[in-house]
Amino acid sequence: MIEVYEPCGVLREHRVRAAARPRALDGLKFGILDNNKTNAEALLDRVSSLLREKGAELAVKARKEVWSLPAPGEVIDSLAHCEAVIFAHGG
Amino acid sequence: MVILANDVFKPIMYGTAELLGLAPSYVDDTSVFFPHPTSNLDRSQIFRLVDARIDEIANVLLGKRQLKAGRMKDEGISGIKAALAPFCQSLHEDGAELTIGELHGGTLETRLEVREACEDGTCVLPREQLTAIVASMLRDFPQVVNVRMADSREA
């Protein structure tokens, strides 16, 4: 007798909902997360400068030390109280 | 969250979003793209890239993708053809011609002609897979809801 295994697994759907969007830029407390790649800082500096001109407030400026790895928990925690986060990665 | 990324990372971002269980529209709804590469630009060039996109970034931040809708309308069928041009060229090299037709009510009409050099038609993927590939390549074009492909192998 040959034992045959059923190769089909159980599909578990894992859906995540995006956070609600802020209503206005005026007074918005936002954070920026730099992935530490070349020019990410310059790009985010410019974005935050222009958003501040539109009334938003830069609350947190964070950086990942290793661009290819997820941001450490303490970095994510530091951004948790922001109403929005702008993340740049590129190369 | 707004993600600023170089355009070459789009496929990775779509794949990652799917793996994370995010909605299929997540990348489109949250990302603003820059032409790759950006690492070789000086600070003033980076600033100009940002300046040209700051309204789009603000719109994405607030959940209003106004700029994208406008851009897509302007691009029309020529933008779709440009997006598919490399794929059409690769099919051409494999022995088939993919012609991009009209866009009506969200359905893009296409036609595949498999040449004689490929008599049994097996040098080109089946119509169903090609249609799925084309639809996937046009995910940045919200005006394309459906892709229909007429295949000479089925005539």
Side-chain angles (χ1 to χ4, degrees):
Chain A
M1 172 169 304
I2 300 173
E3 197 168 4
V4 179
Y5 291 93
E6 164 63 63
C8 298
V10 178
L11 186 63
R12 290 194 182 91
E13 193 162 349
H14 170 66
R15 286 282 157 203
V16 179
R17 291 176 63 185
R21 295 274 149 178
R23 293 189 174 183
L25 291 178
D26 194 36
L28 175 76
K29 290 182 172 52
F30 71 97
I32 56 175
L33 175 58
D34 170 356
N35 79 334
N36 213 7
K37 273 193 143 183
T38 307
N39 273 333
E41 185 177 20
L43 194 148
L44 284 167
D45 279 350
R46 186 62 168 178
V47 170
S48 61
S49 169
L50 295 173
L51 288 180
R52 278 180 297 183
E53 285 178 13
K54 293 174 182 285
E57 298 172 27
L58 177 61
V60 178
K61 192 173 176 180
R63 172 180 286 170
K64 295 201 304 174
E65 289 306 317
V66 185
W67 62 265
S68 58
L69 295 177
E74 60 268 26
V75 172
I76 298 297
D77 289 345
S78 73
L79 292 161
H81 70 279
C82 295
E83 294 170 86
V85 174
I86 299 172
F87 172 55
H89 64 102
Chain B
M1 171 72 87
V2 179
I3 302 168
L4 310 177
N6 288 9
D7 50 14
V8 293
F9 297 112
K10 274 187 190 182
I12 296 172
M13 293 170 70
Y14 285 120
T16 304
E18 191 171 337
L19 287 173
L20 292 174
L22 294 161
S25 63
Y26 182 80
V27 174
D28 295 328
D29 292 344
T30 60
S31 306
V32 176
F33 292 99
F34 292 79
H36 184 76
T38 48
S39 58
N40 60 346
L41 304 179
D42 64 31
R43 203 168 171 84
S44 65
Q45 290 172 314
I46 289 287
F47 282 14
R48 281 200 295 276
L49 282 180
V50 173
D51 292 356
R53 289 164 178 78
I54 192 62
D55 288 336
E56 186 181 6
I57 292 168
N59 280 331
V60 169
L61 190 59
L62 299 174
K64 307 172 188 171
R65 195 76 191 213
Q66 307 279 349
L67 198 63
K68 183 173 183 180
R71 193 193 73 198
M72 292 308 166
K73 192 183 288 180
D74 291 345
E75 283 183 351
I77 199 73
S78 61
I80 291 169
K81 285 181 177 175
L84 293 174
F87 185 57
C88 292
Q89 180 60 33
S90 72
L91 284 171
H92 172 77
E93 288 162 8
D94 285 343
E97 307 301 331
L98 179 63
T99 306
I100 311 303
E102 301 283 315
L103 178 65
H104 289 302
T107 297
L108 179 68
E109 301 288 349
T110 64
R111 176 158 190 83
L112 184 76
E113 294 282 346
V114 180
R115 294 195 301 267
E116 290 177 4
C118 182
E119 277 180 356
D120 62 358
T122 55
C123 51
V124 178
L125 283 171
R127 177 178 57 83
E128 292 82 1
Q129 283 162 270
L130 290 175
T131 305
I133 291 169
V134 170
S136 168
M137 294 181 76
L138 296 177
R139 64 199 330 172
D140 275 351
F141 294 81
Q143 68 269 47
V144 180
V145 178
N146 183 39
V147 175
R148 195 154 46 201
M149 188 177 292
D151 188 333
S152 65
R153 293 171 294 185
E154 299 172 12

